[in-house]
Amino acid sequence: MEMRFQEAANAFLATGRELTAFHPFPSARERKAYEQLPGELKERLIKQGEECLGYAYPPILATDFMAFQRTGNRVNYENVYFARRFSLNSLVVAECVENKGRFLDDIINGIFALCEESGWQLPPHNSYERNKPQEILPDATRPVLDLFACETGAQLACIYYLLKEQLDAVSPFISERILSELQHRIVTPYLHEHFWWMGRGEEPMCNWTPWCTQNVLLSIFLTDCSRKCGRAVLAKAAESCDFFLKDYGEDGCCDEGAHYFRRAGLCLDAAMDLMNQVSGGSFTHLYQWEKIKNVASYIANVHVEGRYYFNFADCSPVVGPAGVREFLFGKHTSQPSLMLFSALDFRRAQDEIYEEETYRLSLYYRMLNAFCYREVMDYDITAPVVHRDIFYPSIGLFISRNDSFCLAVKAGDNDDNHNHNDTGSLTLYKNGQPLLVDIGVESYTGKTFSAQRYEIWTMQSGYHNLPTIDGLDQHEGAAYKARDVVTSFDENSASISMELSAAYPLPEKNNSYYRKVSFDKEDNCITLTDTTDCKNVVLNFITYEKPTIEDSLISVGEAEIAFRGARLLTVETLPITDARLKTAWDHDLYRIRLAMSDTVFQMKIR
């Protein structure tokens, strides 16, 4: 295991030099910087704060926390929990921009509302060991550091950094309360407890590691806490970054998908940037490490068009626009193509950005957005964005495109983070519109991350573009995978082939199920060929538009699909009623089921 982050931290600490103060953007007292913000941006930010004036922070009852343990519902608690934080952030930004004091009372109410919560962790995360049962209530004497406890710490630290003088003018007890809570809830448990996401040995990590680490670093280095423990925190955070990267392939592919890249790769960049700034540039060389550059470029490679991304696992096809954070990662890693992609999306989606959940939750991201706004908006976008065909061997993700089609095929195994049983599935867009789709995931419940996970329909291979073999769908686990994967790319074509039988719990171990997807770019045709000696095969295809089928011709959206070697069984409507799925799909989806009638099935899509 490479320990490059730890080596960079140790090299700096060995010099004995003092840590540099972290100054990512101006505090509210630096008025000239705020006066120079673009007028349209200031107007938007003040308006968002005005919408929260007089905000009555909703109470969080003990029974609200207990409801997850009792019912499995986590959304009701989260709606109240996040509403408090979203509103407080809007008020803080507006006060920083306007500087008239009219938002301060509501800000103080918000600070105390958060400080008086018994626990900052979410109920599904209320345990001290990984994959252990959650306690029904938080133990206020022993805080849990989960994603949102760390996020809350960063939020309060950012308020302290931005508005300390204004808050002290009202009462010094406000800032003292923030520091006291951060010491008890963030600093002490971080330095003296071990939470699984910190990393240890070969234990697998996920987006939790950089996400929590980033926010712990912000909690400490945006406040006076860094004076006492900054060096110890720097060393520990660097080690966690190495533990996170050990599970990433050299190709930089995020096995949790584009949505979680925002919590994985981008949080790694933020943590890295902070450590680099406070250590006088000791981590700069790591930005030219090919692995880090690949992590950064992933998000542009999986973009389809407009709001759509290639998705798999728990990822949605609509993950929110790229913008300042992606732009900065491109800048840090010297990749103008990523900066261009980010600047274009930032301009395209100005209204959408300010409603996006990641932006609303993080005060730090809001402030980065404000003070990088002009740089990103002024970036030269005259060059075209060039997407390249690519294969990510670490998870078996194949992507190819031309001016008409965007194609992705997922090989790999069924042991990804946030896994769905989707080995061998393909996703296809034509003219920027979804054609064959990956459904995504419904709102999280107690069942989502339990032993009953694969009882949920969206997790099952039968609800992906995959066969059901003798009534069996794929099975979860690293042993259930594609074998003999072969890819080919040239200027006018691309293809991927694989043996899929090992992804299924088939009683006959000698059965074969061979799938090949070929893309003839000159003929503008995609061919799917399945060859098998298995009996009773039903092919499933999930479509965005309602299909019309006549004989062996399927019309769906802007595409025509000709097939042979199968007969139509059913076309089912898949109702999209879940709130989370509705953010991606604006109407119901459809499942075509074809019974294979030969040893070879072939589908040509034009």
Side-chain angles (χ1 to χ4, degrees), residues 278-413:
V278 302
S279 65
S282 298
F283 292 78
T284 302
H285 64 286
L286 293 182
Y287 277 117
Q288 300 312 311
W289 179 15
E290 196 63 26
K291 186 171 185 176
I292 295 296
K293 294 171 80 74
N294 290 339
V295 170
S297 63
Y298 162 85
I299 192 63
N301 289 335
V302 296
H303 180 245
V304 177
E305 189 172 321
R307 69 192 195 121
Y308 291 116
Y309 286 79
F310 287 122
N311 65 305
F312 48 89
D314 276 353
C315 183
S316 169
V318 178
V319 302
V324 164
R325 296 169 68 212
E326 291 85 353
F327 182 90
L328 291 174
F329 206 178
K331 185 177 180 180
H332 295 153
T333 55
S334 307
Q335 298 189 84
S337 59
L338 178 54
M339 297 168 71
L340 171 62
F341 162 74
S342 306
L344 280 166
D345 216 27
F346 188 69
R347 292 190 188 190
R348 174 191 68 81
Q350 270 300 293
D351 289 337
E352 188 181 347
I353 282 170
Y354 300 93
E355 297 302 320
E356 201 269 322
E357 184 176 290
T358 305
Y359 171 88
R360 295 173 70 200
L361 180 60
S362 173
L363 181 55
Y364 182 72
Y365 298 163
R366 291 193 190 209
M367 299 307 296
L368 280 182
N369 188 87
F371 284 98
C372 295
Y373 176 91
R374 193 182 296 277
E375 179 183 5
V376 181
M377 290 294 279
D378 290 346
Y379 191 75
D380 182 2
I381 59 169
T382 55
V385 173
V386 178
H387 288 293
R388 60 193 177 103
D389 287 0
I390 193 168
F391 179 63
Y392 284 107
S394 65
I395 69 163
L397 180 61
F398 165 98
I399 296 172
S400 182
R401 62 186 91 210
N402 66 1
D403 291 339
S404 178
F405 284 111
C406 289
L407 167 70
V409 182
K410 171 72 164 53
D413 62 35

Side-chain angles (χ1 to χ4, degrees), residues 550-589:
E550 186 174 344
D551 297 327
S552 295
L553 187 65
I554 304 171
S555 297
V556 55
E558 298 182 15
E560 285 198 345
I561 304 171
F563 67 91
R564 63 179 179 84
R567 59 183 175 81
L568 176 66
L569 286 179
T570 61
V571 176
E572 303 168 354
T573 300
L574 305 178
I576 300 301
T577 58
D578 174 77
R580 184 167 181 160
L581 288 181
K582 283 184 174 182
T583 64
W585 310 118
D586 50 14
H587 55 65
D588 294 340
L589 301 179

Side-chain angles (χ1 to χ4, degrees), residues 340-579:
L340 171 62
F341 162 74
S342 306
L344 280 166
D345 216 27
F346 188 69
R347 292 190 188 190
R348 174 191 68 81
Q350 270 300 293
D351 289 337
E352 188 181 347
I353 282 170
Y354 300 93
E355 297 302 320
E356 201 269 322
E357 184 176 290
T358 305
Y359 171 88
R360 295 173 70 200
L361 180 60
S362 173
L363 181 55
Y364 182 72
Y365 298 163
R366 291 193 190 209
M367 299 307 296
L368 280 182
N369 188 87
F371 284 98
C372 295
Y373 176 91
R374 193 182 296 277
E375 179 183 5
V376 181
M377 290 294 279
D378 290 346
Y379 191 75
D380 182 2
I381 59 169
T382 55
V385 173
V386 178
H387 288 293
R388 60 193 177 103
D389 287 0
I390 193 168
F391 179 63
Y392 284 107
S394 65
I395 69 163
L397 180 61
F398 165 98
I399 296 172
S400 182
R401 62 186 91 210
N402 66 1
D403 291 339
S404 178
F405 284 111
C406 289
L407 167 70
V409 182
K410 171 72 164 53
D413 62 35
N414 286 331
D415 195 39
D416 298 319
N417 283 305
H418 292 264
N419 180 70
H420 290 198
N421 291 336
D422 58 2
T423 296
S425 188
L426 68 153
T427 306
L428 184 63
Y429 289 75
K430 185 173 184 182
N431 299 328
Q433 294 303 305
L435 180 59
L436 298 177
V437 304
D438 185 302
I439 299 166
V441 68
E442 294 178 318
S443 300
Y444 286 166
T445 67
K447 196 174 186 178
T448 309
F449 299 104
S450 73
Q452 290 76 47
R453 176 177 177 85
Y454 294 95
E455 295 175 8
I456 300 171
W457 66 289
T458 59
M459 315 292 185
Q460 300 165 10
S461 63
Y463 289 93
H464 291 77
N465 298 306
L466 286 165
T468 298
I469 303 174
D470 201 19
L472 296 172
D473 280 344
Q474 293 185 4
H475 201 284
E476 69 275 9
Y480 296 90
K481 61 185 179 181
R483 300 183 187 275
D484 304 325
V485 179
V486 177
T487 62
S488 173
F489 297 96
D490 62 38
E491 184 178 351
N492 298 315
S493 65
S495 68
I496 180 170
S497 62
M498 68 198 80
E499 171 59 52
L500 281 180
S501 58
Y504 292 80
L506 300 178
E508 296 294 333
K509 300 301 182 185
N510 293 325
N511 281 138
S512 172
Y513 197 101
Y514 178 81
R515 168 164 283 190
K516 183 174 183 178
V517 183
S518 303
F519 186 5
D520 185 332
K521 298 184 181 184
E522 285 190 312
D523 192 30
N524 205 35
C525 178
I526 291 163
T527 303
L528 167 69
T529 305
D530 286 0
T531 306
T532 185
D533 58 8
C534 298
K535 307 300 182 184
N536 190 23
V537 174
V538 175
L539 295 145
N540 305 288
F541 296 100
I542 313 300
T543 68
Y544 176 65
E545 299 290 358
K546 187 174 184 177
T548 301
I549 303 177
E550 186 174 344
D551 297 327
S552 295
L553 187 65
I554 304 171
S555 297
V556 55
E558 298 182 15
E560 285 198 345
I561 304 171
F563 67 91
R564 63 179 179 84
R567 59 183 175 81
L568 176 66
L569 286 179
T570 61
V571 176
E572 303 168 354
T573 300
L574 305 178
I576 300 301
T577 58
D578 174 77

Side-chain angles (χ1 to χ4, degrees), residues 51-68:
E51 291 170 356
C52 299
L53 277 170
Y55 182 73
Y57 293 88
I60 296 181
L61 305 177
T63 49
D64 295 334
F65 198 99
M66 295 162 70
F68 173 75

Side-chain angles (χ1 to χ4, degrees), residues 1-41:
M1 174 179 161
E2 292 184 285
M3 302 296 287
R4 297 199 187 193
F5 278 74
Q6 191 176 34
E7 288 172 2
N10 289 344
F12 165 75
L13 294 171
T15 67
R17 299 201 312 268
E18 292 295 318
L19 291 164
T20 304
F22 183 50
H23 194 72
F25 36 72
S27 68
R29 69 178 179 273
E30 298 171 77
R31 296 316 307 161
K32 186 176 180 180
Y34 286 87
E35 290 164 6
Q36 292 174 348
L37 289 174
E40 72 275 10
L41 178 62

